[in-house]
Every structure is written in structure tokens, then in C-alpha cells.
Amino acid sequence: MKTNLEQYSKEDHGIFKKDIDPDVLTISDTLISNGYQAFVVGGCIRDMLLGKTPKDFDIATDASPPEICKLFNKAKIIGRRFKIVHVYTSERKYFEVTTFRSDVKKKTNEKKFKKIQGMIKRDNVYGSISQDAFRRDFTINSLYLDLDSEILHDYVNGLDDIKNKKLRLIKKPSISYQEDPVRMLRALRFESKLGLKLTSECKQPITEMAHMINNVSPFRLFDEILKIMHSGSAVTGYNKLKEFGLFKYLFPYTNKILAENQIYNDFFIAALNNTDTRINDGLHVNPSFIYAVFLWPYFQEIEVKYSDDSSSGIDRAFKKVMQSQGEYIAVPDFFQSTIFTIWSLQSSFLNLSSRNVQYLTEISKFRAAYDFFYIRSQIDHELKFYADKWYEIQKNVKGKKRERGKKYYGKRKNK
Ligand code: ATP
Ligand code: MG
């Protein structure tokens, strides 16, 4: 890989200031006018170069976290191992400002890096912009735009990779995945979502190293899987997780059932297609839903085992599923309760009595539970009759709720 710094003017890179949030321009100006360096970096630059609207803007600087805080009215240092700063530009809107870091060992203690559960843990210290460029994951995520000169700084040949639609890790792939196995998930997500092609060197080690995903914190995996499933390309992402052998380490219980009962695969695809449509139409999606889908086969299997055990069977089956799966991917309590509601209401959709209709439609998670039932009915034709009836019922409910103006799902936050 070429390691020289390439600089591109705005005529060459084609990003214009008008496409950047004015608050980012203000933050960058403040840093620069106080003698620091400031660059917009990461996913936002990548997305703009690919002609997509960025989700958020991240800023990298040579100012330390306390130095950053001194320059802004409202700024908060967060993180324990890596300190980053949230700079607030209004009550609920903030931007992440990160000090350049290096993951290169300092000469004085260059002996070896610690190996924890087979993962390489490097010390992470502050560094220069070029060191910051090399500690990032993919070349396309390591492009730095100076908003003052409007020059794009490229240390890793990232702009060429974007032009050639190539997804390439900066470091040697086996080392990079070992350092952080989440990069395997990020690779598949960027490939699915951005229509880029992972280079064969970056692709080749994944299947062999897939098991290392189990060294990652179950809480972090909860977020990373959601990012794939809410990327607007969930079907492709799911197929890639299976193709590269990651799915079986993420959802081992579901995977075992899937091998014996392919009908669940059709259910997953139907649900993920539905999620993709909702995301691409800008509609709200509930994080619980996707986990309710992926864990449904396992829950059903366990529920049958506990069904002779009176009414507490569902509770116990639910706890067992969450506990066993929690060793791999931990679903936060808040989302667990929605999953419980979705699953426990499924049998109620077979009862069309007016009393039950009244009861179900008053429940706050009725909509999510109905959507889940509807998707099941696309695979299980015995449910179709009921799903059609509930389709009519929920249409009226929607109308009534709109009239009452009770619920409003706005955008959750600016970041
Ligand atoms: P998106 O926001 O669309 O998920 P992103 O690339 O912006 O994509 P973030 O998690 O917001 O992802 O991270 C911001 C930047 O931090 C990345 O562009 C990359 O440069 C760096 N980064 C993120 N995760 C890693 C990682 N696991 N290893 C190395 N660098 C990373
Ligand atoms: Mg980002």
C-alpha cells in the first residue's frame, strides 16, 4: 500500500462546504483560529464522496480533550479508555471531536502487545494526523478534510479506493481482524450498504477468523448487528453473515434450528425485506423487532419444552432464551420487554372475538406484535386468514389513533 500523503483540492475531491453542517464549520473554525488543526473525517467524508447524505460529522484535531473543552461553552469528555469530546451546539445536538491517536507502540515499550482472549490489544496513545490515519480500519474511512483550505488529506490511498469501489483494510487483514473482530462485521456492512467490493485479501481470512467474534463484548455486538440490520441492506447483510460463517457464532442456538428447518430462513428474509423497506422509506424501526425475529425459532423450541409447566412456561422460556443468547449478544432490558410482548401476544392473534380485539389494540406494543404476526403469516399460510382480518382491524386503529393525535414518533436525536 502507498503510504505517502496525497492532497486533493476541492476541484479534485468535489466536496463543497455547503454540504457540511454549519455547526461543523463553526467548531472547525474555533479550533483552527485557536492554533489547532481540525479535520472532518470518517464515515461522513466517505459518504459524501459516494454521493450519499452523511448521518453525522466527526471532527479530528491535535487539541487534547481538556483543550477542546476550554474552547466551547458546552462540551463533555466521554469514554474511559479513549477519551473523546462531545461538543454541544444546542440543547440536544452534539458532534464528536476526537484527538489524533496512534496505535503504534512507542519505542520505549515496544516489546510486545498484550494478547487477551486471542485478540491483540494495543495501547492507544495520542499521536499525529498520519498516525491517526493508520489506526483507522478501512482506507475509505481515513480521509481528512481541512475546512479552512478545503484540501483533502489522504495517507492510505482511500480516494482511489472510493473511485474504484474497493473496500480495503489499512493494516494486514489478519492482524486488523485480530485487533478488533468487529471489523469483520463492519466489512460486511460497508460492502452491503455502500455497494463496494471487499478486496480478496480482506475477504479471505474472515471465514477462518469468524469464531473470534465471540471475544467481543455481547453489548457491543448488540449495536453492531443492529447497524447491519438497520442499514437499509439487511437482507444482503444477513446473507453475508451466513456466507462468511459469522452468523453461527452470533446466534448459535438459532443457527442449529435453521440447519434443520429452512422455513425459518424464509421468515428471516421476509422480516428483513420488511425492515429494509421501512428504513428506505424513512419509517421508524424498533431495535427489539430484529432480535424478536432472529430469536423466534429458539424461543419456540424452548417454549414447547416448558409448555406443560402451566402459565409460567412463557416467562421461563423467555428468560432461558435471553440468558443463553446473552452470552453471545446481550439484549438490553428495555428492549427485552418489547420482545417479550411481541412473542407472548402471538397466540392472541388467533382470537378474533371483539373483546380480544379491544384488548389487543389497546396494548402499546400492539403494532410491533401485529407486524411480527403479519410476517409470520407470509410464511405460514395457516395464519393468513387471521392476518387478513387483523390487517383490517389495525387500519381502523391507525385511523383512530391519528385522530386522537396521541402518538408522535419524531426523530430521536441529531447525532
Ligand atoms: P457509520 O457511522 O456509517 O457506521 P463510520 O465509518 O462513520 O460509519 P463510526 O463508528 O461512526 O463509523 O466511526 C467513525 C470512524 O472511526 C470510522 O470512519 C473509522 O475511521 C473509525 N473507526 C470506527 N470503528 C473502528 C474500528 N473498529 N477500528 C478502527 N477504526 C474505526
Ligand atoms: Mg459515523
Side-chain angles (χ1 to χ4, degrees):
M1 181 186 295
K2 207 161 56 175
T3 56
N4 298 334
L5 167 64
E6 295 283 344
Q7 297 189 325
Y8 298 96
S9 65
K10 73 173 165 203
E11 289 73 29
D12 294 331
H13 60 72
I15 298 178
F16 297 98
K17 275 191 182 177
K18 68 168 175 47
D19 298 322
I20 293 175
D21 189 313
D23 286 344
V24 174
L25 299 175
T26 310
I27 295 173
S28 162
D29 276 353
T30 308
L31 285 161
I32 292 172
S33 60
N34 280 280
Y36 298 107
Q37 292 178 288
F39 296 88
V40 181
V41 64
C44 55
I45 299 291
R46 172 200 71 211
D47 290 348
M48 284 190 286
L49 290 168
L50 287 166
K52 295 178 192 289
T53 311
K55 263 201 335 254
D56 48 33
F57 292 90
D58 295 325
I59 297 152
T61 177
D62 58 351
S64 68
E67 286 170 335
I68 300 166
C69 287
K70 272 191 199 145
L71 300 178
F72 299 95
N73 285 339
K74 197 174 170 210
K76 207 159 76 184
I77 298 181
I78 61 152
R80 262 180 288 170
R81 237 175 101 217
F82 314 127
K83 299 212 178 321
I84 62 168
V85 183
H86 284 171
V87 172
Y88 283 79
T89 54
S90 67
E91 188 61 29
R92 294 181 60 210
K93 186 178 177 192
Y94 66 82
F95 294 89
E96 234 168 69
V97 182
T98 325
T99 308
F100 296 144
R101 295 207 296 259
S102 158
D103 61 8
V104 180
K105 278 268 157 181
K106 283 198 182 133
K107 286 232 165 70
T108 45
N109 57 349
E110 198 151 21
K111 284 176 224 149
K112 61 178 189 291
F113 19 79
K114 288 167 236 162
K115 271 198 167 187
I116 297 174
Q117 290 180 310
M119 284 203 291
I120 300 172
K121 290 274 178 198
R122 291 175 196 260
D123 284 345
N124 219 299
V125 293
Y126 296 131
S128 62
I129 177 173
S130 63
Q131 288 170 323
D132 194 70
F134 286 100
R135 64 105 187 153
R136 291 177 186 269
D137 51 1
F138 296 93
T139 62
I140 60 163
N141 288 341
S142 192
L143 293 164
Y144 295 74
L145 182 63
D146 177 337
L147 291 178
D148 190 34
S149 63
E150 297 184 71
I151 287 178
L152 187 78
H153 296 234
D154 181 358
Y155 291 85
V156 294
N157 221 13
L159 192 62
D160 277 353
D161 282 345
I162 288 206
K163 283 185 183 149
N164 297 321
K165 301 249 177 266
K166 282 210 170 126
L167 183 58
R168 188 197 306 273
L169 283 157
I170 294 171
K171 290 179 201 148
K172 187 175 176 233
S174 56
I175 302 274
S176 188
Y177 294 139
Q178 201 178 3
E179 253 178 36
D180 184 1
V182 161
R183 291 176 187 158
M184 295 188 273
L185 300 180
R186 287 173 63 86
L188 302 189
R189 171 157 66 96
F190 294 139
E191 220 196 7
S192 316
K193 170 176 117 168
L194 303 172
L196 305 174
K197 206 163 160 26
L198 194 61
T199 63
S200 55
E201 307 84 75
C202 295
K203 209 178 243 188
Q204 186 267 328
I206 299 183
T207 310
E208 213 175 289
M209 297 182 76
H211 64 96
M212 294 191 82
I213 206 67
N214 288 146
N215 296 336
V216 176
S217 136
F219 293 99
R220 189 171 173 213
L221 287 181
F222 174 83
D223 288 334
E224 292 299 329
I225 294 306
L226 264 193
K227 284 186 195 170
I228 298 179
M229 299 307 155
H230 289 176
S231 69
S233 306
V235 174
T236 318
Y238 163 70
N239 283 329
K240 282 187 196 288
L241 287 176
K242 286 210 307 179
E243 181 192 336
F244 287 91
L246 281 153
F247 190 83
K248 66 173 180 280
Y249 294 108
L250 295 163
F251 295 96
Y253 302 101
T254 298
N255 189 67
K256 225 171 137 216
I257 301 166
L258 206 60
E260 291 148 16
N261 198 342
Q262 273 298 312
I263 194 86
Y264 284 122
N265 194 56
D266 299 343
F267 170 60
F268 291 170
I269 299 286
L272 298 176
N273 258 320
N274 180 282
T275 301
D276 282 346
T277 308
R278 290 186 69 87
I279 294 278
N280 295 323
D281 288 349
L283 296 175
H284 174 84
V285 282
N286 187 325
S288 314
F289 196 83
I290 223 70
Y291 286 99
V293 168
F294 280 137
L295 296 175
W296 175 242
Y298 182 37
F299 173 72
Q300 283 202 301
E301 188 184 82
I302 300 279
E303 198 197 359
V304 170
K305 282 190 197 153
Y306 291 172
S307 61
D308 54 344
D309 191 43
S310 76
S311 59
S312 69
I314 288 190
D315 288 331
R316 290 184 53 229
F318 179 79
K319 281 199 187 107
K320 167 86 182 144
V321 169
M322 287 301 148
Q323 202 176 39
S324 314
Q325 176 65 35
E327 288 179 29
Y328 303 89
I329 300 177
V331 180
D333 290 352
F334 175 78
F335 296 119
Q336 283 195 23
S337 69
T338 306
I339 298 176
F340 182 80
T341 311
I342 292 175
W343 288 348
S344 57
L345 291 182
Q346 289 308 298
S347 57
S348 305
F349 284 100
L350 303 178
N351 179 350
L352 292 165
S353 71
S354 53
R355 219 168 131 213
N356 189 52
V357 166
Q358 169 87 13
Y359 161 73
L360 266 192
T361 53
E362 296 273 304
I363 291 176
S364 72
K365 293 287 176 278
F366 161 73
R367 183 68 218 188
Y370 162 73
D371 284 347
F372 193 91
F373 185 78
Y374 178 77
I375 290 164
R376 287 179 58 214
S377 78
Q378 291 182 318
I379 310 305
D380 182 346
H381 295 296
E382 283 178 21
L383 305 181
K384 199 175 173 314
F385 166 78
Y386 298 96
D388 289 346
K389 292 276 182 210
W390 282 98
Y391 176 76
E392 294 304 323
I393 295 166
Q394 60 83 36
K395 258 200 326 202
N396 294 332
V397 172
K398 244 191 340 197
K400 267 191 215 149
K401 279 204 172 156
R402 206 177 298 129
E403 272 163 40
R404 279 187 268 148
K406 261 193 168 174
K407 281 231 146 81
Y408 172 67
Y409 294 103
K411 277 207 157 179
R412 284 194 300 168
K413 58 176 189 157
N414 294 304
K415 261 286 296 180

